[in-house]
Amino acid sequence: TMRVEFSSQALEDLARINDASSIKTLITEVLQQDPRPAYQKGTDSSRVYGVHLDQFDVKWQVENQVTQVISIRPKG
């Protein structure tokens, strides 16, 4: 599994969410599984990825085999 870290912006975004603890856990559990396309696993790039989880748009990137959550925004 991948290590998941949250940027200061992502932590600020979490602070605005009512059930931040469970959302942070959900994001961590999903991103630990490295949901990038198979051809990009095992590589680093500056590419920013996105996923819809629950009612949020989550942006992240991978550097040095660590997933860095960049932002967590409400959908819409």
Side-chain angles (χ1 to χ4, degrees):
T1 60
M2 299 278 286
R3 191 170 88 214
V4 177
E5 297 177 351
F6 290 77
S7 69
S8 57
Q9 178 61 56
L11 292 173
E12 288 177 25
D13 294 344
L14 275 171
R16 293 187 209 107
I17 297 172
N18 289 335
D19 194 11
S21 177
S22 66
I23 296 301
K24 185 176 182 182
T25 299
L26 173 65
I27 291 169
T28 300
E29 289 176 353
V30 169
L31 296 183
Q32 280 178 332
Q33 302 304 313
D34 194 2
R36 295 178 294 167
Y39 67 91
Q40 292 191 348
K41 291 183 181 184
T43 64
D44 285 341
S45 74
S46 59
R47 181 172 178 170
V48 174
Y49 300 92
V51 66
H52 301 294
L53 291 176
D54 195 4
Q55 52 194 308
F56 300 97
D57 290 322
V58 180
K59 302 287 186 201
W60 83 93
Q61 63 188 145
V62 176
E63 292 184 32
N64 299 319
Q65 295 303 314
V66 175
T67 300
Q68 177 79 21
V69 179
I70 299 169
S71 67
I72 306 160
R73 308 292 170 137
K75 282 187 196 173

PDB file of all heavy atoms in Angstrom, residues 35-54:
ATOM      1  N   PRO A  35      -4.941   4.092  -6.779  1.00  0.00           N
ATOM      2  CA  PRO A  35      -5.939   3.954  -7.845  1.00  0.00           C
ATOM      3  C   PRO A  35      -5.532   4.558  -9.196  1.00  0.00           C
ATOM      4  O   PRO A  35      -6.374   4.727 -10.071  1.00  0.00           O
ATOM      5  CB  PRO A  35      -7.158   4.677  -7.265  1.00  0.00           C
ATOM      6  CG  PRO A  35      -6.570   5.722  -6.379  1.00  0.00           C
ATOM      7  CD  PRO A  35      -5.333   5.095  -5.787  1.00  0.00           C
ATOM      8  N   ARG A  36      -4.249   4.847  -9.370  1.00  0.00           N
ATOM      9  CA  ARG A  36      -3.795   5.351 -10.670  1.00  0.00           C
ATOM     10  C   ARG A  36      -3.929   4.262 -11.736  1.00  0.00           C
ATOM     11  O   ARG A  36      -3.972   3.073 -11.410  1.00  0.00           O
ATOM     12  CB  ARG A  36      -2.329   5.789 -10.604  1.00  0.00           C
ATOM     13  CG  ARG A  36      -2.075   6.967  -9.696  1.00  0.00           C
ATOM     14  CD  ARG A  36      -0.608   7.307  -9.650  1.00  0.00           C
ATOM     15  NE  ARG A  36       0.144   6.221  -9.016  1.00  0.00           N
ATOM     16  CZ  ARG A  36       1.464   6.111  -9.059  1.00  0.00           C
ATOM     17  NH1 ARG A  36       2.185   7.003  -9.704  1.00  0.00           N
ATOM     18  NH2 ARG A  36       2.079   5.105  -8.453  1.00  0.00           N
ATOM     19  N   PRO A  37      -3.942   4.666 -13.014  1.00  0.00           N
ATOM     20  CA  PRO A  37      -3.940   3.658 -14.085  1.00  0.00           C
ATOM     21  C   PRO A  37      -2.734   2.738 -13.947  1.00  0.00           C
ATOM     22  O   PRO A  37      -1.647   3.169 -13.537  1.00  0.00           O
ATOM     23  CB  PRO A  37      -3.841   4.496 -15.362  1.00  0.00           C
ATOM     24  CG  PRO A  37      -4.355   5.849 -14.983  1.00  0.00           C
ATOM     25  CD  PRO A  37      -3.988   6.031 -13.535  1.00  0.00           C
ATOM     26  N   ALA A  38      -2.884   1.479 -14.292  1.00  0.00           N
ATOM     27  CA  ALA A  38      -1.828   0.471 -14.108  1.00  0.00           C
ATOM     28  C   ALA A  38      -0.520   0.864 -14.773  1.00  0.00           C
ATOM     29  O   ALA A  38       0.557   0.632 -14.221  1.00  0.00           O
ATOM     30  CB  ALA A  38      -2.302  -0.874 -14.644  1.00  0.00           C
ATOM     31  N   TYR A  39      -0.573   1.502 -15.935  1.00  0.00           N
ATOM     32  CA  TYR A  39       0.658   1.852 -16.641  1.00  0.00           C
ATOM     33  C   TYR A  39       1.435   2.968 -15.943  1.00  0.00           C
ATOM     34  O   TYR A  39       2.591   3.216 -16.254  1.00  0.00           O
ATOM     35  CB  TYR A  39       0.381   2.230 -18.100  1.00  0.00           C
ATOM     36  CG  TYR A  39      -0.397   3.515 -18.288  1.00  0.00           C
ATOM     37  CD1 TYR A  39       0.265   4.728 -18.430  1.00  0.00           C
ATOM     38  CD2 TYR A  39      -1.777   3.515 -18.336  1.00  0.00           C
ATOM     39  CE1 TYR A  39      -0.438   5.911 -18.614  1.00  0.00           C
ATOM     40  CE2 TYR A  39      -2.495   4.680 -18.514  1.00  0.00           C
ATOM     41  CZ  TYR A  39      -1.817   5.876 -18.657  1.00  0.00           C
ATOM     42  OH  TYR A  39      -2.516   7.041 -18.826  1.00  0.00           O
ATOM     43  N   GLN A  40       0.819   3.640 -14.963  1.00  0.00           N
ATOM     44  CA  GLN A  40       1.515   4.712 -14.252  1.00  0.00           C
ATOM     45  C   GLN A  40       1.969   4.312 -12.857  1.00  0.00           C
ATOM     46  O   GLN A  40       2.684   5.057 -12.207  1.00  0.00           O
ATOM     47  CB  GLN A  40       0.635   5.951 -14.179  1.00  0.00           C
ATOM     48  CG  GLN A  40       0.443   6.574 -15.538  1.00  0.00           C
ATOM     49  CD  GLN A  40      -0.198   7.928 -15.467  1.00  0.00           C
ATOM     50  OE1 GLN A  40      -0.700   8.345 -14.441  1.00  0.00           O
ATOM     51  NE2 GLN A  40      -0.177   8.628 -16.581  1.00  0.00           N
ATOM     52  N   LYS A  41       1.564   3.142 -12.415  1.00  0.00           N
ATOM     53  CA  LYS A  41       1.981   2.695 -11.084  1.00  0.00           C
ATOM     54  C   LYS A  41       3.477   2.430 -11.093  1.00  0.00           C
ATOM     55  O   LYS A  41       4.033   1.949 -12.061  1.00  0.00           O
ATOM     56  CB  LYS A  41       1.202   1.458 -10.668  1.00  0.00           C
ATOM     57  CG  LYS A  41      -0.250   1.784 -10.405  1.00  0.00           C
ATOM     58  CD  LYS A  41      -1.031   0.600  -9.919  1.00  0.00           C
ATOM     59  CE  LYS A  41      -2.475   1.021  -9.701  1.00  0.00           C
ATOM     60  NZ  LYS A  41      -3.278  -0.041  -9.138  1.00  0.00           N
ATOM     61  N   GLY A  42       4.114   2.735  -9.996  1.00  0.00           N
ATOM     62  CA  GLY A  42       5.548   2.535  -9.883  1.00  0.00           C
ATOM     63  C   GLY A  42       6.361   3.674 -10.472  1.00  0.00           C
ATOM     64  O   GLY A  42       7.574   3.630 -10.505  1.00  0.00           O
ATOM     65  N   THR A  43       5.691   4.719 -10.951  1.00  0.00           N
ATOM     66  CA  THR A  43       6.392   5.873 -11.507  1.00  0.00           C
ATOM     67  C   THR A  43       5.966   7.130 -10.763  1.00  0.00           C
ATOM     68  O   THR A  43       4.908   7.172 -10.137  1.00  0.00           O
ATOM     69  CB  THR A  43       6.078   6.066 -13.006  1.00  0.00           C
ATOM     70  OG1 THR A  43       4.684   6.359 -13.151  1.00  0.00           O
ATOM     71  CG2 THR A  43       6.427   4.838 -13.809  1.00  0.00           C
ATOM     72  N   ASP A  44       6.803   8.128 -10.829  1.00  0.00           N
ATOM     73  CA  ASP A  44       6.472   9.442 -10.264  1.00  0.00           C
ATOM     74  C   ASP A  44       6.288  10.420 -11.415  1.00  0.00           C
ATOM     75  O   ASP A  44       6.956  10.321 -12.438  1.00  0.00           O
ATOM     76  CB  ASP A  44       7.598   9.963  -9.367  1.00  0.00           C
ATOM     77  CG  ASP A  44       7.651   9.255  -8.030  1.00  0.00           C
ATOM     78  OD1 ASP A  44       6.648   8.638  -7.649  1.00  0.00           O
ATOM     79  OD2 ASP A  44       8.690   9.343  -7.366  1.00  0.00           O
ATOM     80  N   SER A  45       5.399  11.351 -11.241  1.00  0.00           N
ATOM     81  CA  SER A  45       5.237  12.426 -12.215  1.00  0.00           C
ATOM     82  C   SER A  45       4.588  13.588 -11.481  1.00  0.00           C
ATOM     83  O   SER A  45       4.114  13.441 -10.355  1.00  0.00           O
ATOM     84  CB  SER A  45       4.362  11.982 -13.392  1.00  0.00           C
ATOM     85  OG  SER A  45       3.010  11.907 -13.014  1.00  0.00           O
ATOM     86  N   SER A  46       4.566  14.708 -12.122  1.00  0.00           N
ATOM     87  CA  SER A  46       3.925  15.863 -11.494  1.00  0.00           C
ATOM     88  C   SER A  46       2.427  15.887 -11.801  1.00  0.00           C
ATOM     89  O   SER A  46       1.734  16.830 -11.436  1.00  0.00           O
ATOM     90  CB  SER A  46       4.586  17.150 -11.983  1.00  0.00           C
ATOM     91  OG  SER A  46       4.466  17.233 -13.389  1.00  0.00           O
ATOM     92  N   ARG A  47       1.953  14.836 -12.447  1.00  0.00           N
ATOM     93  CA  ARG A  47       0.537  14.757 -12.813  1.00  0.00           C
ATOM     94  C   ARG A  47      -0.356  14.782 -11.578  1.00  0.00           C
ATOM     95  O   ARG A  47      -0.071  14.139 -10.571  1.00  0.00           O
ATOM     96  CB  ARG A  47       0.282  13.484 -13.605  1.00  0.00           C
ATOM     97  CG  ARG A  47      -1.151  13.366 -14.034  1.00  0.00           C
ATOM     98  CD  ARG A  47      -1.361  12.223 -14.957  1.00  0.00           C
ATOM     99  NE  ARG A  47      -2.773  12.156 -15.278  1.00  0.00           N
ATOM    100  CZ  ARG A  47      -3.271  11.386 -16.205  1.00  0.00           C
ATOM    101  NH1 ARG A  47      -2.479  10.620 -16.905  1.00  0.00           N
ATOM    102  NH2 ARG A  47      -4.549  11.365 -16.431  1.00  0.00           N
ATOM    103  N   VAL A  48      -1.440  15.535 -11.673  1.00  0.00           N
ATOM    104  CA  VAL A  48      -2.433  15.600 -10.604  1.00  0.00           C
ATOM    105  C   VAL A  48      -3.602  14.700 -11.004  1.00  0.00           C
ATOM    106  O   VAL A  48      -4.120  14.799 -12.111  1.00  0.00           O
ATOM    107  CB  VAL A  48      -2.913  17.053 -10.372  1.00  0.00           C
ATOM    108  CG1 VAL A  48      -4.039  17.095  -9.366  1.00  0.00           C
ATOM    109  CG2 VAL A  48      -1.748  17.930  -9.920  1.00  0.00           C
ATOM    110  N   TYR A  49      -3.996  13.832 -10.093  1.00  0.00           N
ATOM    111  CA  TYR A  49      -5.100  12.902 -10.310  1.00  0.00           C
ATOM    112  C   TYR A  49      -6.302  13.375  -9.520  1.00  0.00           C
ATOM    113  O   TYR A  49      -6.176  14.123  -8.550  1.00  0.00           O
ATOM    114  CB  TYR A  49      -4.715  11.493  -9.845  1.00  0.00           C
ATOM    115  CG  TYR A  49      -3.519  10.936 -10.556  1.00  0.00           C
ATOM    116  CD1 TYR A  49      -2.245  11.101 -10.032  1.00  0.00           C
ATOM    117  CD2 TYR A  49      -3.673  10.250 -11.753  1.00  0.00           C
ATOM    118  CE1 TYR A  49      -1.136  10.589 -10.693  1.00  0.00           C
ATOM    119  CE2 TYR A  49      -2.568   9.741 -12.422  1.00  0.00           C
ATOM    120  CZ  TYR A  49      -1.302   9.918 -11.876  1.00  0.00           C
ATOM    121  OH  TYR A  49      -0.221   9.417 -12.541  1.00  0.00           O
ATOM    122  N   GLY A  50      -7.470  12.909  -9.904  1.00  0.00           N
ATOM    123  CA  GLY A  50      -8.687  13.257  -9.191  1.00  0.00           C
ATOM    124  C   GLY A  50      -9.613  12.069  -9.079  1.00  0.00           C
ATOM    125  O   GLY A  50      -9.586  11.164  -9.921  1.00  0.00           O
ATOM    126  N   VAL A  51     -10.408  12.077  -8.023  1.00  0.00           N
ATOM    127  CA  VAL A  51     -11.386  11.020  -7.814  1.00  0.00           C
ATOM    128  C   VAL A  51     -12.570  11.614  -7.055  1.00  0.00           C
ATOM    129  O   VAL A  51     -12.404  12.534  -6.251  1.00  0.00           O
ATOM    130  CB  VAL A  51     -10.771   9.821  -7.049  1.00  0.00           C
ATOM    131  CG1 VAL A  51     -10.389  10.194  -5.638  1.00  0.00           C
ATOM    132  CG2 VAL A  51     -11.695   8.619  -7.057  1.00  0.00           C
ATOM    133  N   HIS A  52     -13.761  11.109  -7.345  1.00  0.00           N
ATOM    134  CA  HIS A  52     -14.964  11.498  -6.604  1.00  0.00           C
ATOM    135  C   HIS A  52     -15.165  10.475  -5.496  1.00  0.00           C
ATOM    136  O   HIS A  52     -15.306   9.289  -5.771  1.00  0.00           O
ATOM    137  CB  HIS A  52     -16.199  11.496  -7.511  1.00  0.00           C
ATOM    138  CG  HIS A  52     -16.091  12.422  -8.674  1.00  0.00           C
ATOM    139  ND1 HIS A  52     -16.035  13.784  -8.533  1.00  0.00           N
ATOM    140  CD2 HIS A  52     -16.021  12.177  -9.993  1.00  0.00           C
ATOM    141  CE1 HIS A  52     -15.941  14.340  -9.732  1.00  0.00           C
ATOM    142  NE2 HIS A  52     -15.922  13.377 -10.635  1.00  0.00           N
ATOM    143  N   LEU A  53     -15.144  10.922  -4.259  1.00  0.00           N
ATOM    144  CA  LEU A  53     -15.392  10.054  -3.105  1.00  0.00           C
ATOM    145  C   LEU A  53     -16.498  10.666  -2.271  1.00  0.00           C
ATOM    146  O   LEU A  53     -16.408  11.835  -1.888  1.00  0.00           O
ATOM    147  CB  LEU A  53     -14.131   9.897  -2.252  1.00  0.00           C
ATOM    148  CG  LEU A  53     -12.993   9.119  -2.874  1.00  0.00           C
ATOM    149  CD1 LEU A  53     -11.780   9.135  -1.958  1.00  0.00           C
ATOM    150  CD2 LEU A  53     -13.409   7.687  -3.128  1.00  0.00           C
ATOM    151  N   ASP A  54     -17.510   9.866  -1.991  1.00  0.00           N
ATOM    152  CA  ASP A  54     -18.654  10.332  -1.233  1.00  0.00           C
ATOM    153  C   ASP A  54     -19.207  11.557  -1.951  1.00  0.00           C
ATOM    154  O   ASP A  54     -19.609  11.464  -3.092  1.00  0.00           O
ATOM    155  CB  ASP A  54     -18.259  10.605   0.221  1.00  0.00           C
ATOM    156  CG  ASP A  54     -19.449  10.752   1.159  1.00  0.00           C
ATOM    157  OD1 ASP A  54     -20.592  10.573   0.705  1.00  0.00           O
ATOM    158  OD2 ASP A  54     -19.239  11.045   2.342  1.00  0.00           O
TER     159      ASP A  54
END
